Amino acid sequence: MQQWEADDARRKHMARLRRRDTAPELALRRVLHARGRRFFVNRLVSSRTRTRADLVFSRARVAVFVDGCFWHFCEEHAHLPKANADLWRQKLLANRQRDARHDEVLRAEGWKVVRVWEHEDPVQAADRVERELALWAQIVDGRWSMVDEPQARRPVR
């Protein structure tokens, strides 16, 4: 990928952009918290990749990423800047490929990855996250019932 140097004005502008606590992320956190869900924020979830999940449910091994439409090249809302359009296209496609590699590593380590676009309704996104958490709860409940059953069948002396 081609490299370019930003001028001071561009560098200052980019430094002001938030990496965490964005409005879509806060909206999702607010909905999940109101539903009684507790989670870690902006946490490293793997030693094999540098990615930090926006929300982490560590016991359930669910990592939630709230992706911005521009930086993660949303097919519905992405628009390329007119200046250096080819360079931006390569950069944004590389971001998508990087996200896919991170997802692959996390899934290989047993994580469920949920990607939410910034334009998604926070309630619907929270529903998707809760479905993953419910699946985990079913698995855990199923394991506990399988463990407890054989003990219940033992003869009483």
Side-chain angles (χ1 to χ4, degrees), residues 86-146:
D86 289 336
L87 185 67
W88 277 106
R89 176 176 290 286
Q90 291 174 13
K91 163 78 175 133
L92 297 176
L93 285 174
N95 286 353
R96 266 192 156 178
Q97 292 168 349
R98 182 202 59 217
D99 290 344
R101 283 192 311 271
H102 290 312
D103 291 357
E104 187 178 316
V105 168
L106 294 177
R107 286 188 181 109
E109 293 181 355
W111 287 89
K112 274 297 216 182
V113 177
V114 178
R115 290 217 172 253
V116 176
W117 288 106
E118 72 175 326
H119 66 263
E120 282 186 63
D121 177 47
V123 173
Q124 292 176 347
D127 290 343
R128 284 188 18 215
V129 172
E130 287 207 310
R131 273 194 298 274
E132 292 300 331
L133 295 172
L135 286 174
W136 173 77
Q138 287 175 353
I139 291 169
V140 170
D141 290 344
R143 275 196 213 139
W144 283 109
S145 65
M146 286 190 307

Side-chain angles (χ1 to χ4, degrees), residues 37-84:
R37 298 297 184 172
R38 300 301 179 257
F39 43 81
F40 294 101
V41 176
N42 191 35
R43 182 169 255 204
L44 191 67
V45 290
S46 171
S47 60
R48 293 178 42 208
T49 177
R50 295 182 332 154
T51 190
R52 299 178 76 83
D54 296 313
L55 306 175
V56 177
F57 298 87
S58 53
R59 286 188 62 209
R61 295 187 67 82
V62 174
V64 181
F65 296 89
V66 182
D67 293 340
C69 289
F70 177 76
W71 289 110
H72 297 270
F73 211 32
C74 168
E75 292 180 7
E76 288 183 46
H77 300 104
H79 64 281
L80 292 172
K82 288 185 168 72
N84 295 323

